[in-house]
Amino acid sequence: MNSIKTAKSALVSVFSKDGLAPIVKKLDELGITIYSTGGTEKFIKEQGINVIPVEDVTSYPSILGGRVKTLHPKVFGGILNRQNNESDVAELQEYEIPQIDIVIVDLYPFEKTVASGASEQDIIEKIDIGGISLIRAAAKNFADVLCVSSVNDYAEFLNLLNEKNGQTSAEDRKRFAAKAFNVSSHYDTAIFNYFNAEEVVYKASITEGKKLRYGENPHQEGYFFGEFDAMFDKLHGKELSYNNLLDVDAAVNLMGEFANDDPTFAILKHNNACGIATRSTIHDAYVAALAGDPVSAFGGILIANTQIDKPTAEEIHKLFCEVVIAPSFSDDALEVLKGKKNRILLIQKEVALPKTQVRTCLNGVLVQDKDLKTDAVSELEHKTNNKPSENELEDLIFASKICKHTKSNTIVLAKNKQLCASGTGQTSRVDALRQAIEKANSFKFDLKGAVMASDAFFPFPDCVEIADNAGITSVIQPGGSIKDQLSIDYCNDNGVSMVFTGTRHFKH
């Protein structure tokens, strides 16, 4: 097989015409015959370039409202023939089928049409049939044909034309074939996921990807697949690492619970909050959040639910931190925060997040609905004789939101909408509580009048007893243990209020 091919003809049938004009002009300059149809044919003619309508090759017009234009043996024969096969060459001559050396296609925008909220009829019409068939045919026959399968590849193809004057190597064609099958498989996955309502099948395809410096540790490879720029404007700092991205994800999910609350600031480390507080100003919220654990805050991820101003930025600037996230920054705050060249500053945009979670497991994957349930005062079940005060109720919900986003087993202690401490990732709920109390005491928090949140029920009354002895006056937990009454009885005997949510919030 001759690996170098000189193109003599090209079939062009695209949805997006952006960037197409210089390509067809270059094809014409190189003397490459252009075949086209419909709107693409019209566009090429408007460039003053000669183009042969596909209908002149097939002797059939575009029919069924444009649904059938290129689906014809004289088109696909020109693409799929093997140029080193004598029988194929003879059949081309016998049936007067033109050889096609380049296929340029850009598919109907199915995903964008779905995302726009269009009607089902409009969505169905954006399922490309001819285009996807052309892509698969040209990519399959990469030995002889070069396939340009997306507007995203126009620039690379134009560079190839300019550099090699219409010649392509086997490596060029195979590289573009890989791109083509990536496009076709992604397109089919999107269509399947739109239609599927009953099949228990997991199909996912993300075309945006980036290689990271490394994974969780330097000896591991790491990649991020997704449209990061659609969610954030990166204003300053170094490239985000694998661990940065995990922490940013945890921060965004946690702060989502406080999106509509008063100014709230959180500091996270290893995906867990080490400090969070709600106050009347974002400056005061940051100061209170930092007080929750100024040691763990070193090298942390910071996030606010409102604009970061200069006074807050000046406080932040005293701390070494990896990332600062906010809906916006004042100009003078940015000037301060950019004082550290590696500090990453992100403006978070309003983007819908996935409602499912996926993780590898054994030789497959686990998929689940995201925990979108936020506990609310109106849904609480009061289980004790003593009822929480209004301030305690606010703190209980505050603590519950944090608890939901902390690694299990967890206990969260809060007071006056400030995280006092949490016990995270413990194998015993008692250990988690003791860890939280010890930590709170080490940072001089007065736990008298504080509240406690647990991500799961208490199987024994030991936790409420330990909490009571530490000064905790109110408890929020899911309930559901066959021994719930033991904890209720202890609370009633000792003046502790307790509410049940009915919802467990494990996070593994």
Side-chain angles (χ1 to χ4, degrees):
M1 180 181 73
N2 180 15
S3 66
I4 301 297
K5 299 285 183 180
T6 301
K8 297 180 181 179
S9 61
L11 172 63
V12 186
S13 180
V14 302
F15 179 82
S16 176
K17 314 300 187 296
D18 294 340
L20 184 62
I23 289 175
V24 294
K25 287 176 182 177
K26 186 63 180 181
L27 292 173
D28 184 57
E29 178 187 318
L30 294 171
I32 296 173
T33 301
I34 301 175
Y35 300 94
S36 191
T37 185
T40 308
E41 176 193 343
K42 179 182 177 183
F43 175 85
I44 295 172
K45 285 180 178 178
E46 289 172 350
Q47 309 307 307
I49 295 170
N50 187 46
V51 56
I52 299 175
V54 168
E55 291 90 334
D56 289 359
V57 176
T58 63
S59 299
Y60 268 89
S62 173
I63 61 174
L64 306 181
R67 283 190 164 197
V68 180
K69 292 179 283 193
T70 57
L71 295 169
H72 194 281
K74 283 198 170 184
V75 174
F76 282 85
I79 296 170
L80 285 166
N81 73 90
R82 294 155 291 187
Q83 294 180 18
N84 64 343
N85 184 297
E86 292 183 3
S87 176
D88 285 7
V89 172
E91 287 188 47
L92 288 189
Q93 293 174 349
E94 179 182 356
Y95 296 108
E96 298 181 336
I97 299 174
Q99 171 67 45
I100 296 175
D101 303 307
I102 298 171
V103 173
I104 304 175
V105 178
D106 182 63
L107 300 173
Y108 292 159
F110 177 81
E111 289 179 281
K112 288 183 179 179
T113 305
V114 172
S116 72
S119 68
E120 183 170 279
Q121 181 179 349
D122 289 339
I123 290 170
I124 298 305
E125 288 305 314
K126 287 299 185 290
I127 298 177
D128 207 311
I129 303 300
I132 204 78
S133 301
L134 291 170
I135 286 174
R136 291 180 64 84
K140 175 180 179 177
N141 201 27
F142 71 89
D144 295 309
V145 180
L146 185 136
C147 180
V148 181
S149 55
S150 168
V151 64
N152 297 326
D153 298 325
Y154 286 3
E156 182 179 350
F157 175 61
L158 181 59
N159 288 337
L160 191 66
L161 286 177
N162 288 326
E163 290 173 4
K164 297 188 176 182
N165 294 317
Q167 289 190 330
T168 60
S169 66
E171 291 77 14
D172 293 330
R173 297 189 297 276
K174 192 170 185 177
R175 184 175 73 257
F176 274 86
K179 294 173 179 285
F181 285 121
N182 182 30
V183 167
S184 66
S185 62
H186 178 80
Y187 199 75
D188 285 340
T189 295
I191 295 170
F192 168 78
N193 287 333
Y194 171 75
F195 277 94
N196 183 44
E198 298 179 0
E199 295 293 322
V200 182
V201 176
Y202 176 67
K203 287 183 183 290
S205 177
I206 302 174
T207 56
E208 296 285 332
K210 180 179 181 181
K211 190 177 189 303
L212 305 173
R213 286 175 295 169
Y214 51 81
E216 199 163 6
N217 299 292
H219 63 278
Q220 296 170 267
E221 291 280 308
Y223 301 84
F224 174 73
F225 296 96
E227 297 181 71
F228 185 85
D229 291 343
M231 188 165 179
F232 296 100
D233 285 331
K234 183 170 177 285
L235 305 180
H236 183 72
K238 63 183 180 180
E239 290 297 311
L240 281 93
S241 69
Y242 182 97
N243 292 329
N244 287 156
L245 290 167
L246 285 176
D247 282 329
V248 167
D249 177 68
V252 166
N253 286 318
L254 171 61
M255 194 53 70
E257 303 284 347
F258 300 90
N260 300 314
D261 290 11
D262 288 340
T264 301
F265 208 108
I267 304 170
L268 289 89
K269 197 75 170 288
H270 295 293
N271 305 165
N272 295 304
C274 59
I276 181 170
T278 298
R279 292 291 183 266
S280 59
T281 69
I282 199 63
H283 171 272
D284 291 349
Y286 170 73
V287 171
L290 181 63
D293 187 346
V295 175
S296 296
F298 182 87
I301 306 295
L302 281 55
I303 187 167
N305 71 345
T306 190
Q307 183 182 76
I308 292 179
D309 54 20
K310 185 178 181 180
T312 309
E314 288 173 336
E315 290 296 327
I316 293 171
H317 194 58
K318 300 173 185 177
L319 174 74
F320 168 71
C321 57
E322 292 274 345
V323 184
V324 184
I325 310 165
S328 62
F329 298 82
S330 67
D331 290 342
D332 48 5
L334 278 178
E335 185 177 350
V336 172
L337 293 173
K338 286 181 178 180
K340 298 286 180 68
K341 68 176 183 179
N342 288 330
R343 181 184 285 144
I344 300 165
L345 305 178
L346 301 175
I347 289 181
Q348 183 182 346
K349 306 175 189 177
E350 292 188 16
V351 177
L353 295 174
K355 294 183 179 181
T356 55
Q357 290 178 313
V358 183
R359 66 193 298 180
T360 58
C361 180
L362 301 175
N363 61 345
V365 296
L366 285 171
V367 181
Q368 69 169 351
D369 293 337
K370 201 170 183 179
D371 184 358
L372 299 175
K373 171 69 174 176
T374 298
D375 298 325
V377 170
S378 61
E379 299 170 346
L380 300 180
E381 185 179 356
H382 295 266
K383 303 299 291 186
T384 52
N385 298 329
N386 192 20
K387 309 301 180 189
S389 67
E390 287 300 314
N391 286 340
E392 285 176 328
L393 281 172
E394 290 182 358
D395 280 346
L396 288 170
I397 295 301
F398 177 86
S400 174
K401 290 177 178 180
I402 303 167
C403 197
K404 173 183 167 182
H405 293 276
T406 305
K407 189 172 178 63
S408 299
N409 287 312
T410 185
I411 292 290
V412 169
L413 306 180
K415 184 178 180 180
N416 298 326
K417 294 185 180 178
Q418 178 186 24
L419 173 63
C420 299
S422 60
T424 63
Q426 299 300 304
T427 53
S428 160
R429 197 159 303 282
V430 171
D431 286 347
L433 174 55
R434 285 176 172 154
Q435 181 190 54
I437 292 171
E438 180 181 352
K439 189 173 181 180
N441 288 336
S442 73
F443 290 115
K444 310 302 181 185
F445 279 99
D446 179 6
L447 292 179
K448 186 176 181 181
V451 305
M452 173 174 73
S454 175
D455 58 343
F457 63 63
F458 299 120
F460 303 102
D462 46 6
C463 280
V464 291
E465 181 178 356
I466 294 169
D468 174 39
N469 290 334
I472 305 297
T473 56
S474 193
V475 178
I476 185 169
Q477 59 135 321
S481 169
I482 59 174
K483 296 183 178 180
D484 275 343
Q485 194 60 46
L486 294 177
S487 294
I488 294 170
D489 289 345
Y490 179 90
C491 289
N492 281 334
D493 291 342
N494 293 275
V496 177
S497 62
M498 183 162 62
V499 296
F500 285 6
T501 66
T503 304
R504 189 181 72 185
H505 292 295
F506 269 164
K507 184 174 184 284
H508 292 108

